[in-house]
Amino acid sequence: MSAQLIDGKKVSADIRESLKQEIADLKGKGIDPCLAVVLVGENPASKKYVASKEKTCAELGIVSIAHKIPETISQADLNKLIDDLNSDKKVHGILVQLPLPKGLDEKEVMYRIAPDKDVDGFGLQSLGKLLLDEPGFVACTPHGVMKMLEAYGIDPSGKHAVVIGRSVIVGKPLALLLLRKNATVTICHSRTQNLKEECLKADILCVAIGKAKFVKGDWIKKGATVVDVGINVGEDGKLVGDVDFQAVQEHASWITPVPGGVGPMTIAMLMYNTVQAAKKTA
Ligand code: NAD
């Protein structure tokens, strides 16, 4: 058996395309959707992520205002910048690229972003609403995973979904979103015993660990859907996921590739959240 690909490039392109009309409508009402991007320090991966977010904003006609700040900034000054962006009426969404350099408190910054501008969905109110099944900003990567499943008609209802990883950025919100769609959800993590046996129960297996090719072919239930969130740099310098793609695709019926799977969805959902934030001001 050879699994069919869940094409994140295509699904994300469709989402970006549908946003263009919404952006045009907003502009017609005199609203220019605007994302403020805060990059602290010189982390090369963060710089790359910020550059691609700015590029996608430009392609869609979303204004992006970059605040590129030295890592010597104090917590008080960074807090002040967030306060200024919170009260700036031109700004609809605020994104602070993580990780922040040592010495800066990420939670303090995330929790300071105004809930109606929290397009990354990491603030207390966004996370609380997710838990309570109320409408609110949903973190972009797990939201993107759900949109991919939807686009391919993969309905989690009644299925056994296993999520490996319990981060606030991916694993936990993804588990809650799958639960919201009526899956029976198991969350696995670094202390889980018998991980292979847990994976073998999964109709939908989502992997967000950060370890290259960690999930093996014989961990997969025949016909399962496998979503690989991981981004790792392989020995050959190329991007590789948390799943051993070649081996796993022999057992799965659907699989996301790396690159070209979840990655493009994350940026598309950031754009989606920014447009929703702008629409709320209309
Ligand atoms: P994290 O380091 O915060 O969390 C990793 C999780 O994996 C932890 O909950 C940990 O318990 C679990 N884990 C670690 N070792 C394990 C093991 N041996 N067995 C079982 N579980 C184990 O990472 P994160 O921020 O959630 O990111 C996970 C991966 O997803 C990374 O590769 C990251 O680069 C990638 N990621 C991709 C996107 C995207 O847009 N595609 C977005 C965010 C993160």
Side-chain angles (χ1 to χ4, degrees):
M1 182 174 178
S2 192
Q4 297 189 70
L5 277 191
I6 299 178
D7 184 348
K9 276 192 198 159
K10 175 169 187 323
V11 182
S12 65
D14 290 347
I15 290 173
R16 291 198 307 271
E17 197 54 42
S18 71
L19 287 175
K20 282 183 184 163
Q21 186 56 51
E22 293 190 48
I23 292 165
D25 291 347
L26 282 166
K27 288 187 189 242
K29 292 177 187 153
I31 298 165
D32 256 340
C34 172
L35 176 68
V37 181
V38 179
L39 172 65
V40 186
E42 300 291 330
N43 180 323
S46 294
K47 282 169 126 174
K48 220 172 110 188
Y49 288 136
V50 163
S52 70
K53 286 165 187 174
E54 288 180 306
K55 184 167 166 263
T56 310
C57 281
E59 280 164 11
L60 292 183
I62 293 175
V63 179
S64 68
I65 303 176
H67 295 265
K68 295 181 180 166
I69 292 157
E71 65 178 16
T72 49
I73 190 170
S74 67
Q75 183 81 42
D77 286 347
L78 185 54
N79 290 348
K80 165 87 171 55
L81 172 62
I82 301 298
D83 291 345
D84 290 346
L85 295 172
N86 281 341
S87 54
D88 186 338
K89 289 215 159 35
K90 285 194 311 295
V91 171
H92 301 108
I94 301 171
L95 175 137
V96 178
Q97 185 64 47
L98 300 179
L100 289 176
K102 275 200 182 113
L104 293 169
D105 186 334
E106 284 181 358
K107 282 188 184 165
E108 191 172 333
V109 175
M110 291 300 121
Y111 300 167
R112 206 171 184 97
I113 294 171
D116 55 350
K117 299 189 179 188
D118 180 25
V119 288
D120 247 345
F122 300 150
L124 289 175
Q125 199 176 113
S126 302
L127 291 168
K129 284 185 169 180
L130 179 65
L131 190 67
L132 295 168
D133 280 336
E134 283 180 20
F137 291 117
V138 176
C140 302
T141 303
H143 199 180
V145 170
M146 298 308 289
K147 287 278 182 193
M148 284 172 113
L149 295 177
E150 193 185 312
Y152 282 83
I154 300 163
D155 181 3
S157 181
K159 305 246 170 67
H160 192 152
V162 173
V163 178
I164 318 183
R166 57 176 165 183
S167 70
V168 176
I169 292 173
V170 188
K172 275 187 209 161
L174 183 53
L176 287 169
L177 291 168
L178 287 160
L179 184 63
R180 189 184 276 184
K181 289 287 180 192
N182 303 313
T184 301
V185 183
T186 301
I187 305 175
C188 299
H189 47 79
S190 54
R191 307 280 178 90
T192 296
Q193 304 287 311
N194 305 321
L195 186 60
K196 176 181 169 182
E197 280 67 33
E198 294 300 334
C199 290
L200 275 166
K201 294 179 201 156
D203 302 308
I204 299 173
L205 177 64
C206 301
V207 191
I209 311 174
K211 292 188 173 155
K213 296 188 178 182
F214 187 81
V215 171
K216 309 300 179 204
D218 62 354
W219 296 21
I220 306 301
K221 181 174 170 177
K222 198 169 165 48
T225 295
V226 178
V227 177
D228 189 351
V229 182
I231 301 177
N232 312 283
V233 181
E235 284 162 13
D236 55 2
K238 291 186 180 158
L239 287 188
V240 62
D242 288 349
V243 167
D244 182 349
F245 184 88
Q246 284 311 326
V248 166
Q249 57 99 28
E250 290 296 328
H251 302 263
S253 60
W254 292 99
I255 190 166
T256 63
V258 176
V262 178
M265 294 302 296
T266 299
I267 294 190
M269 297 322 293
L270 174 67
M271 300 299 123
Y272 174 89
N273 280 350
T274 304
V275 171
Q276 303 319 305
K279 277 165 80 175
K280 280 190 193 153
T281 65

